Amino acid sequence: ILNVEQSPQSLHVQEGDSTNFTCSFPSSNFYALHWYRWETAKSPEALFVMTLNGDEKKKGRISATLNTKEGYSYLYIKGSQPEDSATYLCAFRNSGGYQKVTFGIGTKLQVIP
Amino acid sequence: GAVVSQHPSWVICKSGTSVKIECRSLDFQATTMFWYRQFPKQSLMLMATSNEGSKATYEQGVEKDKFLINHASLTLSTLTVTSAHPEDSSFYICSASGRGPVNQPQHFGDGTRLSIL
């Protein structure tokens, strides 16, 4: 069983604050790291696919970094808005004989107006 | 684009009933479909992966006779929970990917909340 951990599990921030959270994953047999955003009563929506050590991806106010050597990725949200409230999932795809995607438990973000 | 429709979204039924959940890709050809289960306060756990026209590959600990998966076309996969019992109550969600790089993101349905009485 591959260990993919996310912290914190929940987070409340005030509107306008910037925030970040962490996904840690095995540092060996890395293939790709995915971030998804999952709003209540909707389906998870892909944010980023990250494949190279040192990758930085950005989509509007949301960005992510990747460190495959130490096994972590950070997701940053700048100037949080109420519509950013969602659960943010990371998913680790391993390389090797049997590839699969392993999800973290998610970080539930609540942005307070 | 890349819309996945999952039905039903919510099921309550008696113990011993079989329940079928459908997952359809509406605007792309889903060569691979994934079925996940999520228990409260846990992560999405992969149950099985199916490629169109092939038998599904089940994860360790998932009973293939209990959870029947059919992926007969490029737009439809079904998961049938046979003779469901209360311990099968969970949130089930499908995802799909089309032709392309193996690290492409998955496109998810909205999920099905299954409650067995």
Side-chain angles (χ1 to χ4, degrees):
Chain A
I1 296 176
L2 298 172
N3 211 18
V4 179
E5 294 184 355
Q6 291 188 248
S7 63
Q9 288 192 13
S10 68
L11 186 58
H12 291 78
V13 300
Q14 289 292 135
E15 182 177 353
D17 285 353
S18 295
T19 188
N20 65 84
F21 25 93
T22 308
C23 172
S24 61
F25 50 85
S27 55
S28 57
N29 298 323
F30 176 86
Y31 192 89
L33 194 282
H34 300 256
W35 281 100
Y36 292 86
R37 170 192 153 87
W38 193 359
E39 287 183 70
T40 303
K42 294 187 178 179
S43 55
E45 170 200 348
L47 285 174
F48 305 115
V49 179
M50 309 182 81
T51 55
L52 296 174
N53 184 43
D55 251 358
E56 288 189 32
K57 296 276 176 96
K58 190 173 179 185
K59 190 175 184 178
R61 294 177 292 97
I62 304 177
S63 59
T65 60
L66 179 68
N67 183 325
T68 60
K69 294 188 177 177
E70 294 181 43
Y72 65 83
S73 175
Y74 292 137
L75 191 82
Y76 300 90
I77 302 179
K78 188 176 177 183
S80 304
Q81 298 297 308
E83 57 266 30
D84 297 328
S85 298
T87 296
Y88 291 83
L89 300 174
C90 70
F92 168 79
R93 179 185 281 276
N94 62 288
S95 62
Y98 181 57
Q99 283 197 11
K100 62 179 275 190
V101 172
T102 303
F103 280 82
I105 198 169
T107 292
K108 186 172 183 177
L109 173 68
Q110 184 76 34
V111 182
I112 304 162
Chain B
V3 177
V4 174
S5 174
Q6 184 174 343
H7 293 282
S9 54
W10 189 57
V11 181
I12 299 178
C13 58
K14 291 181 181 178
S15 187
T17 308
S18 291
V19 178
K20 182 186 276 190
I21 302 170
E22 289 191 352
C23 183
R24 292 182 186 271
S25 58
L26 298 186
D27 54 1
F28 70 103
Q29 292 185 328
T31 51
T32 307
M33 282 192 171
F34 306 88
W35 287 96
Y36 293 87
R37 179 169 54 184
Q38 185 180 39
F39 291 109
K41 302 194 180 189
Q42 294 187 24
S43 59
L44 291 175
M45 294 297 292
L46 181 65
M47 298 175 69
T49 303
S50 72
N51 293 299
E52 183 262 339
S54 309
K55 285 185 181 179
T57 301
Y58 289 80
E59 294 298 304
Q60 195 170 12
V62 179
E63 299 173 57
K64 53 185 73 175
D65 294 332
K66 173 79 171 173
F67 300 99
L68 301 179
I69 290 171
N70 184 289
H71 189 175
S73 80
L74 283 171
T75 59
L76 174 66
S77 176
T78 60
L79 167 68
T80 302
V81 184
T82 61
S83 187
H85 291 286
E87 59 266 27
D88 299 321
S89 298
S90 188
F91 180 76
Y92 294 85
I93 190 166
C94 69
S95 69
S97 59
R99 294 188 177 92
V102 69
N103 63 353
Q104 61 180 291
Q106 297 172 27
H107 306 288
F108 284 85
D110 287 346
T112 298
R113 192 156 300 281
L114 175 63
S115 294
I116 308 298
L117 304 176

